[in-house]
Amino acid sequence: MGWEEKPVRGYAEFARTAQQHHGRPIFVLFSGDKDAAGHSWCPDCVTAEPVIRGELHNMPEGSIFIYCQVGDRAYWKDPNNKFRKNLKLTGVPTLLKYGTPQKLVEEECFKADLVRMLFTED
Amino acid sequence: MGSSVRKGRAVQQAEPPRRAAKEDFHQVTQNTNNGRAITASRTEASTKSSTKSKDAELILQIQSYIDKNTVVIFSNTTCSLSTKVKELFKSMKVPYFSLELDQTENGQKLQEALYQLTLETSVPVVFVQQQQIGNYSKTLKAHEEGKLQKLLEMNGPNHLQESYDYDLIVIGGGSGGLAAAKEAVKYDKKVMVLDYVTPTPLGTSWGLGGTCVNVGCIPKKLMHQAALLGQALKDSHKFGWQFTEEAVKHSWETMTEAVQNYIGSLNWGYRVALRDNKVTYENAYGEFVGPHTIKATNTKGKEKLYTAEKFIIATGERPRYLNIPGDKEYCISSDDLFSLPYCPGKTLVVGASYVALECAGFLAGIGLDVTVMVRSILLRGFDQEMANKIGEHMEEHGIKFIKQFVPIKVEQIEEGTPGKLKVIAKSTTGSQTIEGEYNTVLLAVGRDACTRKIGLDKVGVKINKKSGKIPANDEEQTNVPYIYAIGDVLEDKLELTPVAIQAGRLLTRRLYAGATLKCDYVNVPTTVFTPMEYGACGFSEERALEKFGENNIEVYHSFFWPLEWTVPGRDNNKCYAKIICNIQDNERIIGFHVLGPNAGEVTQGFAAAIKCGLTKEKLDSTIGIHPVCAEIFTTLSVTKRSGGNVVQSGC
């Protein structure tokens, strides 16, 4: 079965998708939006993405990987945006295991062995 | 300064660091150690203030590293040649001791002393079998010429030191263990942490971090806070907040979920910290199987063997059971309480420890019917006047006490979450028995050290047969020189997280960074988070009387009423402050006791002052902050001796 990727944009779509796959291991990468040319406004997200993608094969069988674009820079900076309020996110990129306190924030996402640890260990 | 070449007399690595005096052929350049063997310079070298003897101290320190290790590399974490020379020894599978001078206390001075000893102008400087090899290029040359091999094999191949898997293995990933491990990696050591939680009889388990994080201080304080907030809600009416009492309800599930979530983030944080710092962590049960060797068994039963040069035992303790029918089947302990998936309901707490009283306190504070069954006295080891005040306060606030009884049987009347249990208890003073029905029975009758099943007999580590605790010297070393112990497993030491952390850090610095500072176990402040909090530092009144005599101590005391409690009109003349002074030593404060809100916050500062030698006079000359509880300490004037009234009225 392997794993499936679900790209989503914005909080509502993220919440819906996570809810839909309740019961499966869900990992979410929150990133700054990419423009038409595929470039994100968030430089750390650009660095982290290949590292994380390089470890996706380590996720448990049947996992869902949600790639969530949070919005433009202005939306992200707003202290009341839905991600900050509802999920208590403090930075992008954030990679988390949904439903657990396990997460990696910003530079932590650059480290392949931390990403691997998040994907493979309980 | 004297000859720097030490001709080879091999030092057996198995010897303990403390050696009896030997024939001393080492050239001692200063005379601080006339005729005595060079042992660890930290204890022998004098503390005279002249520069000459400070240099001597440093040289002795360097010499001791050279003597105690087959291969020594004086190095620098930023130096590439140091790294290269270490790689060389690694490729030869030869273990070495490296001292990172840029990470070491007095590193700069040590480097100067090293130059004086060796005439090498920079790091690395290598010694093999006490013989100076020199810098990287000299070492490489010696290696290529076969000289290093010759030196290493000097005492026959069987004396060649085995190459260990790790420099340090820490058994136990709690407060002490993690602190020691994280400190050790700063000095470039290869470290492993083994942490394993044997599930409770009811099957409860938890993640990395030890007792404090998972089933101790952290959840306890959070639940204590939940109870305090309940009290605050009651007080708030008088301050103008309007809501009906019926609207106020407490959800056990909401509280435990939030607490467990926070604990989960801490467990995760520790995992990230260890991985990030290149500490190898295994969720496996560690036990010694032979010298320098440990067997790690993971949750799936898979066994692996690891070797290390040094070990730290930091396995902590677990709650004791009563050994009565029904205890393991039906009773819970603090290990289960903080993650109990259902509200405990009407609870019997057995015990009079701070664990028992703190748990009873917050359970009652969130509205549960709580009874405490006590065999004899409250808070053994603590100041009894304060312990009794704590008990009285709890009783006045609805917690029932059954004194001088012990449970002899626990039966299940009804299954459920919670179910119903019947407890039969016997009097300690007669033959009377009583019965009671409760939803939950929480046992808090003491904790046992986790030392009996970790193979200590296989490596000869002595433990106290009765208590299971490990005796160690003031450097936390057990009777086996390469095995150390920190935290709750230690005999005769305070069982507190900050003590374990401090001991772990200082131990690691002494082992790997040339530090000499030992853990100071004197005047450690503590706080008991019962509904009426109690903070203390130093002697209890009983111990002070015993040690100094009634005529040599002066006890000042007073009740006080926190301003915040005046409006709601509660607990007047219940909060209490007491200091014990040593008359013969300038009325030095040797005991500090406070019963009142935020006792921990209040006590912390005074603990620092006591470490600085606080006297009554200095305390009196400190101006108080107004209006706060702690200011009472700056105006204490009534002594117990005088018999004066300490009841307060007004501001």
Side-chain angles (χ1 to χ4, degrees):
Chain A
M1 190 188 198
W3 53 271
E4 284 175 62
E5 176 160 349
K6 304 280 178 200
V8 303
R9 297 184 82 104
Y11 186 80
E13 205 188 338
F14 153 74
R16 238 184 353 259
T17 312
Q19 172 73 333
Q20 259 175 350
H21 294 100
H22 180 70
R24 289 165 68 168
I26 300 174
F27 297 92
V28 192
L29 173 59
F30 296 95
S31 254
D33 279 15
K34 289 177 173 165
D35 61 19
H39 299 132
S40 172
W41 55 260
C42 161
D44 285 351
C45 302
V46 172
T47 313
E49 196 175 330
V51 177
I52 293 167
R53 288 194 176 280
E55 296 293 328
L56 288 177
H57 65 276
N58 286 314
M59 288 191 301
E61 271 288 295
S63 289
I64 299 290
F65 174 65
I66 300 180
Y67 179 75
C68 177
Q69 295 189 63
V70 298
D72 62 18
R73 192 193 290 262
Y75 178 71
W76 178 251
K77 292 293 186 203
D78 173 11
N80 290 320
N81 77 51
K82 290 229 171 72
F83 294 98
R84 290 188 196 271
K85 277 184 74 181
N86 300 345
L87 289 173
K88 306 279 185 287
L89 293 197
T90 54
V92 279
T94 291
L95 176 67
L96 56 79
K97 186 170 179 180
Y98 190 67
T100 75
Q102 299 184 351
K103 62 178 181 180
L104 297 172
V105 180
E106 292 159 357
E107 302 86 47
E108 290 175 341
C109 299
F110 302 167
K111 299 176 186 175
D113 52 354
L114 292 184
V115 175
R116 198 177 317 130
M117 185 169 81
L118 180 72
F119 286 155
T120 58
E121 294 179 33
D122 264 323
Chain B
M1 261 278 185
S3 162
S4 60
V5 175
R6 311 280 183 257
K7 295 280 184 206
R9 196 178 125 177
V11 173
Q12 302 276 57
Q13 197 60 18
E15 267 180 323
R18 277 156 197 70
R19 298 193 298 252
K22 275 189 189 196
E23 257 84 77
D24 191 359
F25 61 87
H26 297 304
Q27 207 64 17
V28 183
T29 50
Q30 295 292 332
N31 61 1
T32 48
N33 253 19
N34 274 334
R36 275 150 49 192
I38 298 167
T39 52
S41 59
R42 53 186 177 263
T43 47
E44 303 295 283
S46 71
T47 46
K48 290 189 223 134
S49 53
S50 72
T51 344
K52 245 194 171 176
S53 54
K54 270 260 184 288
D55 285 348
E57 241 179 79
L58 293 167
I59 293 198
L60 282 177
Q61 200 177 333
I62 292 179
Q63 189 61 55
S64 115
Y65 288 119
I66 296 170
D67 290 344
K68 290 199 287 188
N69 295 283
T70 310
V71 176
V72 184
I73 305 174
F74 293 97
S75 148
N76 202 306
T77 55
T78 59
C79 165
S80 61
L81 290 179
S82 294
T83 308
K84 272 183 148 171
V85 87
K86 287 175 197 164
E87 295 301 318
L88 175 62
F89 283 100
K90 279 186 196 155
S91 72
M92 290 164 51
K93 298 249 191 304
V94 172
Y96 56 82
F97 177 84
S98 69
L99 187 69
E100 309 300 330
L101 292 168
D102 58 329
Q103 298 289 329
T104 302
E105 213 170 284
N106 282 330
Q108 178 73 353
K109 294 227 151 55
L110 276 171
Q111 188 143 2
E112 286 162 13
L114 185 65
Y115 169 69
Q116 287 181 359
L117 206 58
T118 63
L119 298 178
E120 292 288 346
T121 49
S122 69
V123 288
V125 183
V126 176
F127 279 78
V128 175
Q129 303 278 33
Q130 289 73 53
Q131 186 145 345
Q132 179 179 342
I133 309 296
N135 61 17
Y136 174 68
S137 55
K138 289 183 194 158
T139 307
L140 191 60
K141 186 155 178 283
H143 173 57
E144 284 161 2
E145 292 171 3
K147 276 220 189 101
L148 288 189
Q149 272 72 2
K150 258 199 167 151
L151 274 174
L152 287 164
E153 284 165 25
M154 244 168 62
N155 287 309
N158 33 350
H159 284 267
L160 186 64
Q161 214 176 325
E162 307 142 58
S163 184
Y164 297 120
D165 297 326
Y166 290 90
D167 293 309
L168 176 68
I169 292 182
V170 179
I171 314 169
S175 304
L178 291 181
K182 284 195 261 186
E183 187 72 22
V185 287
K186 287 186 190 167
Y187 311 111
D188 216 28
K189 299 303 160 192
K190 196 168 174 217
V191 183
M192 162 178 264
V193 169
L194 294 173
D195 186 65
Y196 188 84
V197 179
T198 306
T200 70
L202 296 175
T204 314
S205 183
W206 49 86
L208 179 62
T211 295
C212 174
V213 164
N214 293 286
V215 287
C217 330
I218 302 294
K220 174 267 294 285
K221 186 100 190 291
L222 289 172
M223 294 196 177
H224 172 65
Q225 175 66 0
L228 289 176
L229 289 170
Q231 178 66 67
L233 283 170
K234 292 200 186 103
D235 287 353
S236 71
H237 291 295
K238 291 278 169 50
F239 286 95
W241 290 99
Q242 298 176 334
F243 51 89
T244 57
E245 275 314 303
E246 295 82 66
V248 176
K249 287 196 262 296
H250 184 264
S251 161
W252 173 268
E253 289 79 3
T254 304
M255 176 179 72
T256 18
E257 199 186 315
V259 169
Q260 287 302 315
N261 231 22
Y262 178 63
I263 292 172
S265 72
L266 291 179
N267 297 140
W268 175 250
Y270 285 127
R271 305 263 304 279
V272 171
L274 288 185
R275 187 63 71 97
D276 220 13
N277 283 303
K278 308 271 186 290
V279 174
T280 310
Y281 159 62
E282 282 214 11
N283 183 208
Y285 188 90
E287 49 191 313
F288 286 97
V289 290
H292 290 275
T293 313
I294 202 151
K295 175 173 79 171
T297 310
N298 72 8
T299 47
K300 300 198 176 79
K302 186 153 167 234
E303 293 175 0
K304 280 196 243 182
L305 292 179
Y306 297 108
T307 59
E309 199 205 335
K310 297 201 206 301
F311 291 83
I312 297 180
I313 301 169
T315 48
E317 300 177 302
R318 295 297 292 272
R320 197 176 290 156
Y321 281 79
L322 290 170
N323 285 325
I324 58 170
D327 67 350
K328 293 211 171 84
E329 298 93 300
Y330 308 121
C331 300
I332 65 169
S333 73
S334 58
D335 281 356
D336 306 294
L337 180 64
F338 301 109
S339 56
L340 208 59
Y342 53 84
C343 182
K346 179 178 176 190
T347 305
L348 175 70
V349 178
V350 182
S353 56
Y354 71 80
V355 175
L357 298 187
E358 286 175 345
C359 290
F362 71 70
L363 289 174
I366 58 171
L368 304 181
D369 177 336
V370 177
T371 307
V372 182
M373 185 174 286
V374 170
R375 188 187 55 174
S376 63
I377 61 170
L378 296 179
L379 295 174
R380 185 178 302 277
F382 286 83
D383 185 296
Q384 285 298 290
E385 180 187 26
M386 308 305 281
N388 289 326
K389 286 191 189 314
I390 289 172
E392 277 162 25
H393 181 266
M394 286 171 75
E395 273 183 288
E396 281 162 19
H397 285 261
I399 297 171
K400 298 173 273 244
F401 279 80
I402 299 178
K403 294 188 185 163
Q404 300 188 311
F405 273 85
V406 289
I408 53 173
K409 192 173 188 197
V410 178
E411 292 173 350
Q412 187 179 63
I413 305 172
E414 248 179 60
E415 265 187 61
T417 54
K420 253 203 217 143
L421 301 172
K422 178 158 89 172
V423 178
I424 301 158
K426 186 166 179 295
S427 166
T428 59
T429 57
S431 56
Q432 188 198 0
T433 60
I434 54 171
E435 284 182 10
E437 272 182 31
Y438 305 92
N439 294 124
T440 299
V441 176
L442 170 66
L443 299 180
V445 294
R447 294 173 65 77
D448 289 321
C450 299
T451 51
R452 304 209 193 258
K453 294 191 195 154
I454 56 172
L456 293 183
D457 51 318
K458 303 245 169 38
V459 281
V461 173
K462 293 209 181 80
I463 63 171
N464 178 313
K465 286 282 187 301
K466 187 159 176 272
S467 68
K469 294 208 175 198
I470 302 178
N473 61 20
D474 64 358
E475 298 188 359
E476 290 86 31
Q477 191 182 34
T478 68
N479 62 308
V480 176
Y482 64 89
I483 301 179
Y484 298 79
I486 54 175
D488 290 0
V489 282
L490 273 184
E491 190 171 51
D492 293 331
K493 298 286 196 301
L494 289 158
E495 293 170 22
L496 296 167
T497 287
V499 171
I501 292 177
Q502 179 84 320
R505 283 204 190 121
L506 294 182
L507 169 62
T508 314
R509 282 183 211 157
R510 289 195 306 272
L511 290 178
Y512 302 121
T516 55
L517 193 60
K518 299 182 211 183
C519 189
D520 185 359
Y521 292 100
V522 170
N523 289 333
V524 175
T526 67
T527 297
V528 181
F529 294 97
T530 34
M532 178 69 97
E533 293 178 10
Y534 167 43
C537 182
F539 284 90
S540 64
E541 201 172 329
E542 296 89 355
R543 285 268 297 126
L545 284 169
E546 201 186 298
K547 179 151 190 197
F548 298 96
E550 197 186 332
N551 292 328
N552 296 317
I553 64 165
E554 197 74 83
V555 180
Y556 294 86
H557 67 152
S558 179
F559 285 105
F560 61 92
W561 201 15
L563 180 64
E564 294 79 4
W565 298 2
T566 57
V567 164
R570 70 177 164 93
D571 291 323
N572 188 10
N573 285 304
K574 292 287 187 276
C575 294
Y576 183 69
K578 172 165 86 173
I579 56 170
I580 304 168
C581 307
N582 183 351
I583 298 176
Q584 294 181 317
D585 182 20
N586 276 25
E587 274 204 311
R588 184 123 5 233
I589 313 277
I590 57 168
F592 172 94
H593 302 266
V594 63
L595 193 65
N598 304 304
E601 307 292 0
V602 170
T603 307
Q604 184 71 88
F606 283 101
I610 288 172
K611 252 212 186 327
C612 296
L614 183 67
T615 58
K616 180 69 166 63
E617 195 196 332
K618 267 275 182 288
L619 186 54
D620 290 346
S621 70
T622 307
I623 298 185
I625 302 170
H626 186 73
V628 302
C629 296
E631 62 174 310
I632 191 75
F633 285 98
T634 61
T635 57
L636 290 174
S637 55
V638 180
T639 62
K640 278 201 175 176
R641 199 188 301 280
S642 70
N645 184 21
V646 285
V647 167
Q648 297 292 294
S649 56
C651 174

